[in-house]
């Protein structure tokens, strides 16, 4: 089964309204999701409402993850906004030298280059795309490096999701 962690708004709400959502997937209990390695997918909101993030904290958080995750973890960072947009969800292996170090720099730069000009916030479409990507990992890789989805957003979806999707997102995630 998959675990869904929603960080309480009082803890996760930053001054400009940015919320952080963590979704940890594993084949067992949440405690099992903490493994020696992880595969982390970071989705960063690039919609126009993110102009309120005048300090670029969501981009800084993405860059910080690129340099903070342990060697051996894999990380993908992608902006999201307009529906139908291609998301960069191919995780890169992180390390302290060689390719791993270059991947850290590339991912940090990708996060720092993200904007705030998309006309829409397809939050649920981005989550569905990330979940589909996790599904491609296979059970062996998921057990060795459990997947985590991190969303940096103000959580103002546009287009608005169907009413039942909004209320059932954790249940949907657990079934995926």
């Amino acid at each position: 089964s998959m675990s869904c962690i929603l960080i309480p708004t009082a803890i996760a709400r930053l001054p400009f309204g940015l919320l952080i959502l963590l979704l940890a997937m594993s084949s067992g209990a949440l405690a099992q999701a903490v493994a020696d390695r992880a595969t982390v997918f970071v989705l960063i909101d690039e919609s126009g409402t993110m102009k309120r993030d005048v300090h670029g904290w969501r981009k800084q958080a993405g860059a910080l993850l690129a340099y903070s995750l342990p060697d051996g973890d894999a990380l993908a960072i992608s902006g999201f906004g307009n529906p139908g947009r291609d998301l960069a969800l191919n995780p890169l292996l992180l390390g302290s030298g060689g390719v791993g170090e270059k991947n850290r720099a590339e991912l940090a730069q990708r996060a720092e280059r993200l904007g705030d000009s998309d006309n829409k916030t397809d939050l649920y479409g981005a989550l569905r795309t990330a979940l589909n990507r996790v599904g491609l990992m296979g059970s062996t890789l998921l057990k060795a490096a459990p997947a985590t989805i991190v969303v940096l957003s103000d959580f103002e979806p546009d287009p608005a999701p169907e009413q039942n999707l909004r209320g059932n997102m954790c249940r949907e995630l657990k079934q995926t």
Side-chain angles (χ1 to χ4, degrees):
S1 71
M2 187 182 317
S3 299
C4 177
I5 305 168
L6 299 176
I7 296 178
T9 302
I11 296 171
R13 187 172 291 277
L14 298 176
F16 59 87
L18 180 73
L19 293 175
I20 301 171
L21 170 72
L22 298 174
L23 305 169
M25 283 76 66
S26 73
S27 60
L30 178 59
Q32 292 175 331
V34 180
D36 291 339
R37 297 181 339 172
T39 305
V40 181
F41 297 88
V42 180
L43 301 171
I44 301 176
D45 190 342
E46 288 193 273
S47 67
T49 61
M50 296 311 296
K51 287 181 180 8
R52 293 179 289 191
D53 179 13
V54 295
H55 300 290
W57 287 336
R58 71 195 191 290
K59 297 187 288 188
Q60 291 175 21
L64 182 62
L65 275 172
Y67 287 110
S68 299
L69 292 174
D71 292 354
D73 282 3
L75 175 66
I77 294 178
S78 180
F80 73 92
N82 290 331
R85 181 175 161 180
D86 287 334
L87 303 184
L89 292 178
N90 292 322
L92 301 177
L93 187 62
L94 303 176
S96 297
V99 173
E101 189 172 342
K102 288 179 186 176
N103 288 343
R104 288 182 190 278
E106 177 184 330
L107 289 161
Q109 290 169 2
R110 182 181 301 165
E112 291 166 357
R113 286 192 306 262
L114 295 175
D116 55 15
S117 61
D118 279 12
N119 296 320
K120 301 285 184 180
T121 309
D122 189 18
L123 174 61
Y124 290 89
L127 282 170
R128 175 62 45 222
T129 301
L131 286 170
N132 290 343
R133 180 61 182 88
V134 169
L136 296 175
M137 289 175 59
S139 61
T140 303
L141 181 55
L142 280 172
K143 286 179 184 175
T148 300
I149 299 173
V150 177
V151 179
L152 303 173
S153 176
D154 59 9
F155 285 76
E156 295 180 19
D158 177 25
E162 295 178 16
Q163 197 66 17
N164 63 340
L165 178 59
R166 183 187 297 265
N168 297 322
M169 184 50 112
C170 278
R171 183 177 16 201
E172 230 184 286
L173 291 168
K174 290 177 183 180
Q175 294 172 358
T176 301

